[in-house]
């Protein structure tokens, strides 16, 4: 999966060079960011608890490579927060995970300004923050995942969504993402088995 990141980074460098040297719109670099609403889908194991959506954010860079009049290849490189929260009689628990996401998407133009996007995504786990509050005290724990074998360091998933271009440079978007792989293979009460899912909405700018 590291080869995928190297390939995407190479595409971004190529796109930046082409964008700087050309006045056409076949290759365009952009930036994007917005809100994330994440939760988990629990799998087998000791997962007898109910979770709620966690509000976070995402930010990163995009590359738009025009293949046909209504079709473009749009790889992205994003920093994203994910996770979930739950409440019980013992208190409130929040788990926030930090990822580098690499969506490799196709963008299909269905109408003027309206595009559907879909494709695979590779996610690389950076760190995890756990927070527990019981009304009397609060405790936090940060785990750098390179130093831990609790969760998988990389996950394969998919993305589907839509983008509406307000102009040639500015667009708004919404999308849904889901991991195809579980975060681990042996769930427990402290490290349950689950798949990340979430919604993203935001604003993108092309140069």
């Amino acid at each position: 999966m590291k080869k995928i990141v190297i390939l995407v980074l190479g595409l971004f460098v190529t796109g930046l060079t082409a964008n700087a040297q050309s006045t056409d719109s076949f290759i365009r670099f952009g930036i994007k960011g917005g809100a994330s609403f994440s939760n988990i889908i629990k799998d087998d194991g000791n997962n007898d608890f109910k979770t709620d959506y966690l509000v976070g954010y995402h930010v990163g860079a995009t590359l738009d490579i025009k293949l046909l009049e209504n079709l473009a290849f749009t790889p992205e490189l994003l920093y994203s927060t994910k996770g979930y929260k739950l409440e019980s009689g013992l208190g409130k628990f929040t788990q926030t995970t930090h990822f580098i996401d690499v969506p490799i998407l196709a963008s299909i133009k269905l109408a003027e300004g309206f595009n559907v996007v879909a494709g695979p995504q590779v996610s690389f786990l950076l760190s995890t923050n756990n927070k527990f509050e019981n009304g009397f005290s609060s405790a936090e724990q940060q785990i750098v995942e390179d130093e831990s074998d609790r969760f998988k360091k990389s996950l394969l998933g998919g993305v589907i969504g839509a983008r509406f271009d307000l102009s040639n440079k500015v667009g708004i978007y919404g999308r849904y993402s889901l991991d195809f792989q579980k975060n681990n293979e042996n769930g427990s009460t402290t490290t349950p088995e689950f798949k990340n899912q979430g919604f993203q909405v935001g604003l993108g700018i092309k140069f």
Side-chain angles (χ1 to χ4, degrees):
M1 288 188 180
K2 291 182 179 179
K3 294 181 180 179
I4 297 176
V5 176
I6 294 173
L7 175 61
V8 172
L9 287 173
L11 286 172
F12 273 99
V13 172
T14 302
L16 282 171
T17 303
N19 196 54
Q21 295 178 349
S22 175
T23 58
D24 62 38
S25 58
F26 287 99
I27 300 179
R28 300 185 64 185
F29 175 77
I31 57 174
K32 69 187 310 179
S36 299
F37 306 90
S38 57
N39 203 339
I40 60 173
I41 297 177
K42 298 185 292 294
D43 216 301
D44 298 331
N46 190 352
N47 290 327
D48 187 20
F49 56 90
K50 184 178 184 300
T51 64
D52 293 316
Y53 278 87
L54 179 68
V55 180
Y57 65 94
H58 63 280
V59 64
T62 67
L63 197 62
D64 192 290
I65 304 172
K66 187 176 180 180
L67 303 178
L68 299 171
E69 184 62 31
N70 296 321
L71 177 65
F73 173 54
T74 56
E76 301 177 353
L77 189 64
L78 305 175
Y79 176 85
S80 306
T81 62
K82 304 177 186 179
Y84 65 94
K85 60 183 180 180
L86 66 89
E87 292 190 35
S88 68
L90 299 176
K92 179 180 178 181
F93 175 77
T94 302
Q95 182 172 93
T96 304
T97 47
H98 303 262
F99 281 87
I100 294 294
D101 288 334
V102 185
I104 304 173
L105 308 176
S107 177
I108 304 172
K109 183 179 178 181
L110 298 182
E112 188 62 35
F114 181 72
N115 304 268
V116 171
V117 299
Q121 172 175 276
V122 182
S123 300
F124 299 90
L125 181 59
L126 300 177
S127 63
T128 299
N129 290 83
N130 295 323
K131 184 176 182 179
F132 179 76
E133 301 171 282
N134 61 10
F136 300 99
S137 62
S138 176
E140 293 191 46
Q141 176 191 35
Q142 183 179 41
I143 300 169
V144 178
E145 295 302 341
D146 283 344
E147 303 171 358
S148 170
D149 292 325
R150 302 180 318 138
F151 298 147
K152 290 180 180 178
K153 307 302 184 295
S154 59
L155 296 165
L156 178 64
V159 175
I160 186 168
R163 185 186 78 247
F164 185 76
D165 296 325
L166 302 175
S167 69
N168 189 41
K169 293 186 177 181
V170 180
I172 56 176
Y173 60 88
R175 60 175 57 175
Y176 172 75
S177 64
L178 171 67
D179 285 347
F180 299 150
Q181 296 175 290
K182 297 182 292 185
N183 66 311
N184 64 36
E185 298 297 337
N186 300 292
S188 68
T189 53
T190 54
T191 56
E193 295 178 49
F194 60 79
K195 298 176 182 178
N196 292 296
Q197 65 168 333
F199 298 90
Q200 293 179 339
V201 293
L203 178 72
I205 301 174
K206 294 180 183 179
F207 302 98

